[in-house]
């Protein structure tokens, strides 16, 4: 096989690999959006009943992260793990109200993929499972 044919074949293979990866990532993002939406609705109901703890899908949740500017309400898992992170934002460290409170998530459009749209001064809320709502300003 000549050098030109070899590089053309490699190029086609790389394009196919990129297409497969893109389809996989889009599928994963849709699954995460669906899971987060359902879980946020369940947690909202639980918080309205003022329960202090919640377990769903074998994951303990801290509460809900609300980003009104982006029209997002997301469940936040109490502890991060790679499997949990594929479905929902997770606490990385700290607790609500502390400077060290860090929430991590994938950059799926329905998770943190649109954070760049937040302007300085935008409001972000965290509501724990007891119903305590903490305001953060970007």
């Amino acid at each position: 096989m000549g050098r030109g044919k070899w590089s053309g074949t490699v190029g086609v293979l790389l394009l196919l690999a990129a297409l497969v990866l893109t389809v996989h990532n889009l599928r994963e993002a849709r699954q995460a959006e669906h899971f987060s939406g359902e879980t946020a609705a369940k947690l909202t109901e639980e918080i309205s009943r003022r329960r202090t703890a919640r377990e769903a899908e074998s994951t303990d949740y801290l509460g809900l992260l609300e980003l009104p500017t982006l029209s997002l309400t997301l469940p936040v898992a109490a502890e991060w793990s790679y499997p949990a992170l594929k479905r929902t934002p997770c606490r990385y460290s700290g607790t609500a109200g502390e400077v060290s409170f860090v929430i991590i998530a994938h950059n799926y459009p329905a998770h943190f993929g649109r954070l760049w749209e937040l302007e300085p001064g935008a409001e972000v809320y965290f509501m724990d499972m007891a119903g305590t709502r903490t305001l953060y300003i970007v």
Side-chain angles (χ1 to χ4, degrees), residues 12-138:
V12 168
L13 290 174
L14 289 173
L15 285 173
L16 286 173
L19 178 62
V20 167
L21 183 60
T22 299
V23 168
H24 169 76
N25 287 343
L26 290 172
R27 182 174 172 260
E28 200 171 71
R30 261 184 274 128
Q31 289 172 338
E33 179 178 11
H34 178 74
F35 178 84
S36 289
E38 283 185 351
T39 304
K42 290 175 188 175
L43 292 179
T44 299
E45 185 178 317
E46 291 295 323
I47 290 170
S48 71
R49 292 184 200 155
R50 300 290 185 196
R51 293 194 176 164
T52 57
R54 170 76 170 112
E55 189 172 312
E57 305 283 332
S58 300
T59 304
D60 292 324
Y61 289 92
L62 288 181
L64 294 168
L65 181 66
E66 301 171 54
L67 301 121
T69 303
L70 304 179
S71 299
L72 286 176
T73 299
L74 301 166
V76 177
E79 298 298 328
W80 85 274
S81 68
Y82 288 112
L85 197 55
K86 287 184 134 195
R87 301 183 310 176
T88 186
C90 302
R91 173 180 57 174
Y92 183 74
S93 66
T95 58
E98 293 180 353
V99 174
S100 63
F101 189 41
V102 177
I103 297 173
I104 58 175
H106 273 290
N107 64 344
Y108 303 140
H111 285 179
F112 284 4
R114 296 177 37 228
L115 285 184
W116 61 271
E117 295 178 29
L118 294 176
E119 300 276 335
E123 295 179 345
V124 176
Y125 298 92
F126 180 78
M127 186 180 325
D128 66 21
M129 295 305 297
T132 302
R133 196 168 185 222
T134 305
L135 168 66
Y136 297 90
I137 304 293
V138 174

